[in-house]
C-alpha cells in the first residue's frame, strides 16, 4: 500500500468527519467569494453616482465589509481545521506509536486535506 492509498483509505474510513470539514470550509469560501463578486461587479461600481458622498461611503463600506468577511472566514477555516484535527487525535496517536515520523504525519494531513 502506498502512502497516497493509505491517505485515501483514511478519508473513506472517516467520511463523516471529512464531510463536515469540507462543508464548513466550502461554506466560508462561498460566502467570501459571493461578497467579493458583488463588491467588484462592474455594474455596481459606476451606478452609485447619485452623490459623491454616497459613492465614497458605499465604496469604503464595501471595502471594510470585505475585510471583516475575510477576517472571519480565515478564522472560521482555522477553527474548522483545528476541530477536524482534534477529532483525529487518537488516529494520529496510534500512527505515531506504530513508528510514523512527524514529517510523515504532516505529509499525511497535507495529502488528506
Amino acid at each position: 500500500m502506498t502512502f497516497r492509498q493509505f491517505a485515501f483509505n483514511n478519508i473513506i474510513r472517516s467520511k463523516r468527519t471529512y464531510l463536515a470539514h469540507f462543508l464548513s470550509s466550502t461554506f466560508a469560501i462561498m460566502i467570501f467569494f459571493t461578497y467579493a463578486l458583488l463588491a467588484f461587479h462592474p455594474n455596481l461600481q459606476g451606478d452609485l453616482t447619485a452623490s459623491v458622498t454616497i459613492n465614497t461611503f458605499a465604496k469604503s463600506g464595501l471595502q471594510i465589509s470585505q475585510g471583516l468577511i475575510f477576517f472571519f472566514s480565515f478564522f472560521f477555516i482555522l477553527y474548522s481545521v483545528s476541530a477536524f484535527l482534534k477529532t483525529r487525535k487518537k488516529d494520529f496517536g496510534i500512527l505515531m506509536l506504530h513508528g510514523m515520523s512527524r514529517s510523515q504525519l504532516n505529509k499525511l494531513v497535507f495529502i488528506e486535506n
Side-chain angles (χ1 to χ4, degrees):
M1 177 182 293
T2 65
F3 203 69
R4 289 188 188 272
Q5 289 173 336
F6 182 68
F8 182 73
N9 287 339
N10 284 341
I11 293 169
I12 297 299
R13 278 187 224 119
S14 55
K15 57 187 160 214
R16 285 187 66 205
T17 306
Y18 277 99
L19 184 65
H21 170 65
F22 177 74
L23 290 178
S24 65
S25 298
T26 302
F27 175 74
I29 292 169
M30 181 185 67
I31 294 297
F32 178 74
F33 181 74
T34 302
Y35 187 79
L37 191 70
L38 290 173
F40 293 111
H41 195 275
N43 290 341
L44 296 177
Q45 292 293 321
D47 286 346
L48 299 173
T49 58
S51 168
V52 174
T53 307
I54 293 174
N55 192 11
T56 305
F57 284 143
K59 284 185 180 181
S60 64
L62 286 174
Q63 289 174 350
I64 290 170
S65 299
Q66 185 179 10
L68 287 172
I69 289 173
F70 176 78
F71 178 76
F72 284 118
S73 296
F74 179 75
F75 283 109
F76 181 73
I77 289 175
L78 283 180
Y79 178 75
S80 173
V81 168
S82 170
F84 169 71
L85 291 177
K86 282 182 184 178
T87 60
R88 302 273 326 271
K89 188 188 298 187
K90 289 181 183 178
D91 297 338
F92 296 150
I94 291 171
L95 291 173
M96 295 290 279
L97 284 175
H98 284 292
M100 181 178 264
S101 69
R102 189 76 168 161
S103 64
Q104 288 174 331
L105 182 66
N106 290 337
K107 183 180 176 183
L108 177 69
V109 170
F110 180 76
I111 289 172
E112 288 177 356
N113 283 319

